[in-house]
Amino acid sequence: MKDYNKLIEQNAEVVRKKLESNSSFYDELAKGQQPNFLWIGCSDSRVPANEVTGTEAGDIFVHRNIANLVNNTDLNLMSVIAYAVGVLKVDHVIVCGHYGCGGVQAAMSNADVGIINKWIRDIKNTYARNWDELKELDDKARFNRMVELNVEEQVNNLAKSTILQKEWKERSVEIHGWVYDLGSGRIKDLGVDVSGTDHLPDVFKLDV
Ligand code: CO
């Protein structure tokens, strides 16, 4: 059997098992979604949002890109955030990076990775800005720390967005920064939760 046909066959098996434990599972799902979480993660195949968090279809609104970046001019991501926060009214936005992230690793090197150079350049800025701390670490610790700093940066990028700042005028939304450890399967909460703009330099606080 071709690899991709196997996926369709497995889908039939998934449906069979789901209906066995809950005969109305798909009827309920088809009615609509009310997820309470927006997940912004890396596209890496080893960090699927639902699987690592033990959640079901309908629980998490998901956006993934290389190195879980929150880029101000990314129309795709900004639309996802606008819908999740402004329409679905999720209470929590989670940025989840992962140790061993190839995107972060490439950004820490001088490698020319074609069009991806443009995507990961912001990570180089984070790297350069934190060099005083990073230079004290060995290679492995530096890589791990950069993954964490990259997540922190994206949490702050979210706080700088008009979408979040407008929503904060109306209600509470929390942003969280996590890192998934491929080696253990565990999620580490970096404790960089943000629910407003107090921590930002004044110039980022918009008159929304
Ligand atoms: Co990655």
Side-chain angles (χ1 to χ4, degrees):
M1 193 192 315
K2 293 227 166 65
D3 283 356
Y4 66 91
N5 279 331
K6 201 171 161 206
L7 300 184
I8 296 176
E9 197 156 283
Q10 284 170 195
N11 164 255
E13 184 61 12
V14 167
V15 172
R16 194 188 63 74
K17 281 188 181 153
K18 276 269 188 272
L19 293 176
E20 203 174 81
S21 61
N22 178 2
S23 60
S24 63
F25 182 81
Y26 293 103
D27 295 331
E28 293 302 317
L29 216 52
K31 285 179 187 163
Q33 60 170 334
Q34 283 182 299
N36 198 27
F37 308 97
L38 166 60
W39 172 281
I40 299 169
C42 183
S43 296
D44 192 302
S45 61
R46 299 165 294 180
V47 199
N50 284 124
E51 206 164 318
V52 303
T53 57
T55 48
E56 286 282 356
D59 289 338
I60 307 186
F61 206 69
V62 173
H63 177 91
R64 291 167 69 182
N65 62 44
I66 289 177
N68 41 268
L69 299 185
V70 175
N71 185 324
N72 190 35
T73 57
D74 178 355
L75 185 60
N76 181 351
L77 172 61
M78 287 300 147
S79 302
V80 166
I81 297 169
Y83 192 70
V85 172
V87 179
L88 296 172
K89 302 290 179 187
V90 300
D91 289 323
H92 302 275
V93 180
I94 296 154
V95 178
C96 188
H98 67 101
Y99 296 124
C101 184
V104 172
Q105 189 172 36
M108 292 172 70
S109 78
N110 298 99
D112 174 3
V113 286
I115 196 167
I116 306 172
N117 291 332
K118 302 180 195 311
W119 183 251
I120 61 177
R121 208 187 64 181
D122 281 349
I123 308 175
K124 290 184 185 284
N125 288 333
T126 303
Y127 184 73
R129 209 170 48 246
N130 289 281
W131 180 244
D132 279 349
E133 176 189 348
L134 293 167
K135 72 177 183 206
E136 306 296 334
L137 307 173
D138 65 30
D139 286 355
K140 185 167 190 298
R142 183 180 301 146
F143 185 11
N144 286 346
R145 184 64 186 137
M146 254 312 287
V147 166
E148 297 175 358
L149 289 169
N150 180 51
V151 168
E152 279 186 46
E153 184 72 14
Q154 309 320 314
V155 166
N156 284 323
N157 283 345
L158 281 167
K160 292 170 188 170
S161 74
T162 319
I163 304 168
L164 263 303
Q165 291 193 15
K166 273 191 174 157
E167 200 68 13
W168 279 330
K169 297 275 177 191
E170 310 290 325
R171 68 187 186 99
S172 155
V173 185
E174 291 174 9
I175 310 168
H176 312 282
W178 297 352
V179 173
Y180 180 73
D181 185 345
L182 292 170
S184 68
R186 298 295 299 271
I187 289 168
K188 177 181 175 182
D189 185 344
L190 297 179
V192 292
D193 311 273
V194 165
S195 54
T197 56
D198 289 353
H199 69 297
L200 295 178
D202 253 355
V203 75
F204 291 108
K205 298 171 186 171
L206 306 170
D207 294 328
V208 292

